[in-house]
Amino acid sequence: MKPIITAKDLCLWYGSAQALDHITLDIPENSITALIGPSGCGKSTFLKTLNRMNDLVEGVKITGTVTYAGKDVFATDVNQLRKEVGMVFQKPNPFPMSIYDNVAYGPRTHGITAKKDLDQIVEQALRDAAIWDEVKDRLKKNALGLSGGQQQRLCIARALAVAPKVLLMDEPTSALDPISTSRIEELVTQLKDRYTIIMVTHNMQQAVRVSDYTAFFLLGELVEFGATESLFSQPVDRRTEDYITGRFG
Amino acid sequence: MTSKKRTAFRWTVRLLMWTATALTAALVVALVVYVMAKGVPHITWELLSTETSYLYDRKGILPNILNTIYIILAALVLVIPLGVGAAVYLTEYAKNKRLVAAIEYAAEILSGIPSIIYGLVGMLVFSEFLGLGSSLLAGALTLVIMNLPTIMRSTQESLKTVPQSYREGAFGLGAGKWRTIRTVVLPGCVDGVITGCILSVGRILGESAALLFTAGTANNLNGLFEAMTAPGSTLTVALYYYAKEEGEFEVAFAIAAILMVLSLLINLAATWVTRHFQRRKAL
Ligand SMILES: Nc1ncnc2c1ncn2[C@@H]1O[C@H](COP(=O)(O)OP(=O)(O)OP(=O)(O)O)[C@@H](O)[C@H]1O
Ligand SMILES: [Mg+2]
């Protein structure tokens, strides 16, 4: 498999506290990679490094390299990078504007203004995020009026509308009920033909159900990375085994 | 202390607090009733719609009403961009936390300075040094400086309540800092700007000292643009002028009644805006 994102010897410090310790990892294209590990092990930190959301945090120091499509992400224009490497957050965070404007926000940001084009992009993104039928009659209504699960799918639509290549998802279902969760899992598996998805999850079953590859983090280190099936059935590292069998974390 | 003494003590304290509360309430009511009773009967259409003329022995406060509106408009037009701009810079861009804290502290102090000092400085800087003379513009500029801290602080407080997740959402879509602020952050802090404006309008309505120095006491009827370069008195200044210089207490009380109603309306507006936006935020 061809890697689309590559991290090499990636270390990251928040002030003097090290959160990532020499992470080296290749993310295969058009697949779903799950990041698992106990709380505080650096999964979100790693994810946010890939689209440089850590730039917003003060006192962050990074060494090592991250490349996206062969280019050093720290040397590319950050807005262009985030257009190609989109993000869905743990808590649904639609903007306090209409459903339509939420989805159109990204395309408008990147210079698409013609109403005809926007209409088409918005509809396609909402269809791809499996929420079109629920919202097509209320596109002009405030997005904050949607349910939590709908809001999260709207946020996925909003991310898809800028046509990213990679979608980073940080525990996208942890704030949702079981039904919304399974809808989003289903959605994610459908999206992998066209997108590369990297998803943090605390839910082992979810990792097994949806992901092709799994990376196990512990205390800022990448302990093990491999095909989900083999990682869960024959873990190489003792610590991975302990974790996936529920002996800690 | 025996328990009897303690009970007596408790009752005394309670009685004192009661008296204090009753006295305060009575004072407010008495003041409002007194001003209204002396002022309202003299509010006539002629008073509201004409200018004072010694030739026809007529009293009119239309110029003062207009001057008040002009000076509020001029001050707000200048102070809103300045105050909002400063607030956005301090909360969203400034890196040096110490400098930000120092500026915020200075703003607190500025809003506590007696307004007559603003008047003095305004007169020297705007009227004399910049050569604006005694004019509504010099007055408006003085008011801008007086109200800048108010607008800045209330915008800042409101900016801080805009959830970080909105900013992250916008950045995550590849929006730049300015676009994020313009489209996601600023719309979320309109309430702070409006609250600041209402407070400022209330303050401008009640201002006399700073304007006596800078805008003068003339009572001529002017259009917006001539008014800016001409001296002119607002309602509050006119109140002072009619009472103190002319002994025209009927006019003075009529103005006082009008000002009281206006400040009541402004308080209501402030409460309404706060509640309206709180409800929207809770959604
Ligand atoms: N903005 C920050 N400033 C300082 N330290 C941080 C910051 N964000 C995270 N950390 C620290 O970095 C470490 C890794 O945090 P991170 O959020 O990446 O963990 P995580 O694996 O995502 O945990 P969880 O499963 O609980 O979300 C933790 O020790 C955390 O306290
Ligand atoms: Mg996390």
Side-chain angles (χ1 to χ4, degrees):
Chain A
M1 263 288 185
K2 194 169 99 210
I4 184 163
I5 288 184
T6 315
K8 205 154 179 223
D9 280 325
L10 178 66
C11 298
L12 183 146
W13 290 262
Y14 290 114
S16 59
Q18 188 165 12
L20 294 178
D21 188 4
H22 292 91
I23 308 283
T24 297
L25 179 61
D26 288 344
I27 306 281
E29 201 170 1
N30 290 342
S31 63
I32 302 175
T33 301
L35 308 182
I36 61 168
S39 190
C41 66
K43 306 179 295 291
S44 301
T45 301
F46 177 70
L47 202 67
K48 284 193 284 178
T49 309
L50 303 183
N51 69 342
R52 289 179 54 189
M53 286 302 272
N54 280 327
D55 285 14
L56 307 178
V57 184
E58 237 167 281
V60 167
K61 202 185 99 195
I62 298 174
T63 62
T65 58
V66 177
T67 60
Y68 160 73
K71 289 169 298 195
D72 178 3
V73 298
F74 301 114
T76 23
D77 173 60
V78 68
N79 296 333
Q80 194 57 35
L81 174 72
R82 290 177 187 155
K83 178 178 183 293
E84 308 215 352
V85 183
M87 187 158 214
V88 175
F89 299 82
Q90 177 168 1
K91 259 183 65 190
N93 62 344
F95 302 130
M97 38 177 103
S98 75
I99 294 171
Y100 184 96
D101 287 337
N102 262 281
V103 183
Y105 189 89
R108 281 180 176 142
T109 300
H110 298 287
I112 299 175
T113 49
K115 182 161 184 324
K116 204 170 77 285
D117 299 339
L118 285 174
D119 285 352
Q120 196 195 336
I121 292 172
V122 168
E123 175 170 350
Q124 192 55 49
L126 289 168
R127 280 188 191 282
D128 287 348
I131 191 181
W132 171 251
D133 289 330
E134 288 155 77
V135 300
K136 63 171 185 273
D137 300 320
R138 50 195 285 205
L139 292 176
K140 295 285 168 223
K141 293 267 162 60
N142 196 311
L144 299 184
L146 297 171
S147 76
Q150 290 174 323
Q151 288 189 7
Q152 192 63 305
R153 276 178 286 143
L154 176 67
C155 290
I156 295 175
R158 187 176 69 182
L160 296 180
V162 294
K165 295 280 189 305
V166 180
L167 208 52
L168 309 174
M169 303 178 117
D170 195 350
E171 303 184 45
T173 61
S174 68
L176 304 182
D177 62 280
I179 294 175
S180 305
T181 299
S182 65
R183 294 207 63 166
I184 287 183
E185 287 182 7
E186 203 179 308
L187 169 63
V188 168
T189 36
Q190 282 163 10
L191 291 176
K192 88 171 166 187
D193 297 340
R194 285 175 289 154
Y195 306 92
T196 305
I197 292 169
I198 308 174
M199 185 164 99
V200 173
T201 178
H202 268 136
N203 181 331
M204 301 303 154
Q205 280 91 36
Q206 186 170 64
V208 173
R209 274 196 303 266
V210 304
S211 73
D212 304 303
Y213 300 90
T214 298
F216 172 55
F217 283 74
L218 188 63
L219 298 171
E221 277 182 69
L222 175 66
V223 173
E224 191 166 343
F225 175 72
T228 300
E229 235 184 75
S230 64
L231 187 132
F232 276 90
S233 55
Q234 300 132 13
V236 176
D237 196 289
R238 182 65 204 272
R239 293 167 292 177
T240 314
E241 189 179 343
D242 286 350
Y243 183 70
I244 60 178
T245 52
R247 246 165 276 178
F248 71 89
Chain B
M1 261 200 282
T2 64
S3 89
K4 224 185 212 167
K5 262 191 188 161
R6 215 178 294 150
T7 323
F9 176 73
R10 207 180 300 146
W11 273 104
T12 321
V13 169
R14 208 173 281 182
L15 196 74
L16 280 175
M17 291 199 301
W18 250 91
T19 323
T21 314
L23 210 65
T24 314
L27 264 175
V28 172
V29 172
L31 192 73
V32 172
V33 170
Y34 179 69
V35 170
M36 288 298 169
K38 288 202 76 162
V40 172
H42 302 294
I43 302 179
T44 59
W45 179 243
E46 186 184 76
L47 182 79
L48 296 176
S49 63
T50 60
E51 58 183 321
T52 292
S53 155
Y54 297 100
L55 196 56
Y56 303 112
D57 189 23
R58 185 183 66 198
K59 295 278 177 261
I61 57 167
L62 181 62
N64 311 108
I65 296 176
L66 289 178
N67 285 339
T68 309
I69 296 174
Y70 295 157
I71 212 162
I72 287 175
L73 285 180
L76 287 186
V77 161
L78 296 170
V79 80
I80 291 174
L82 278 177
V84 173
V88 167
Y89 178 77
L90 289 180
T91 32
E92 306 288 329
Y93 286 94
K95 288 272 185 297
N96 187 339
K97 293 282 174 276
R98 275 235 207 101
L99 185 68
V100 173
I103 293 178
E104 287 176 356
Y105 186 62
E108 297 295 342
I109 293 181
L110 271 181
S111 51
I113 290 182
S115 63
I116 197 159
I117 297 175
Y118 284 100
L120 187 64
V121 174
M123 180 179 75
L124 288 178
V125 174
F126 300 122
S127 304
E128 310 276 322
F129 183 71
L130 292 183
L132 296 173
S134 231
S135 65
L136 280 192
L137 185 59
L141 290 171
T142 310
L143 292 174
V144 165
I145 298 189
M146 261 178 76
N147 288 291
L148 191 56
T150 315
I151 304 276
M152 190 186 95
R153 294 295 286 149
S154 69
T155 308
Q156 267 189 307
E157 289 314 310
S158 182
L159 281 172
K160 287 176 192 162
T161 66
V162 175
Q164 193 60 23
S165 66
Y166 291 175
R167 296 183 178 85
E168 286 177 352
F171 287 136
L173 291 166
K177 186 139 192 168
W178 172 236
R179 179 169 164 79
T180 301
I181 290 172
R182 192 167 50 80
T183 55
V184 178
V185 178
L186 280 180
C189 77
V190 177
D191 58 336
V193 179
I194 295 181
T195 311
C197 287
I198 292 176
L199 287 175
S200 293
V201 170
R203 199 145 170 233
I204 294 173
L205 269 184
E207 190 48 55
S208 54
L211 292 177
L212 272 171
F213 274 102
T214 50
T217 55
N219 293 316
N220 305 321
L221 200 54
N222 282 320
L224 175 58
F225 291 102
E226 331 159 58
M228 279 300 130
T229 51
S233 60
T234 62
L235 283 171
T236 308
V237 174
L239 167 73
Y240 166 83
Y241 180 78
Y242 281 116
K244 186 80 181 156
E245 305 288 323
E246 309 224 325
E248 291 281 357
F249 284 96
E250 293 179 356
V251 184
F253 271 102
I255 297 178
I258 294 173
L259 284 172
M260 261 195 182
V261 173
L262 285 178
S263 65
L264 181 76
L265 288 180
I266 284 181
N267 270 316
L268 285 178
T271 322
W272 183 81
V273 166
T274 320
R275 233 186 265 149
H276 174 76
F277 278 96
Q278 264 166 5
R279 207 175 311 140
R280 258 191 38 186
K281 272 198 180 152
L283 195 80

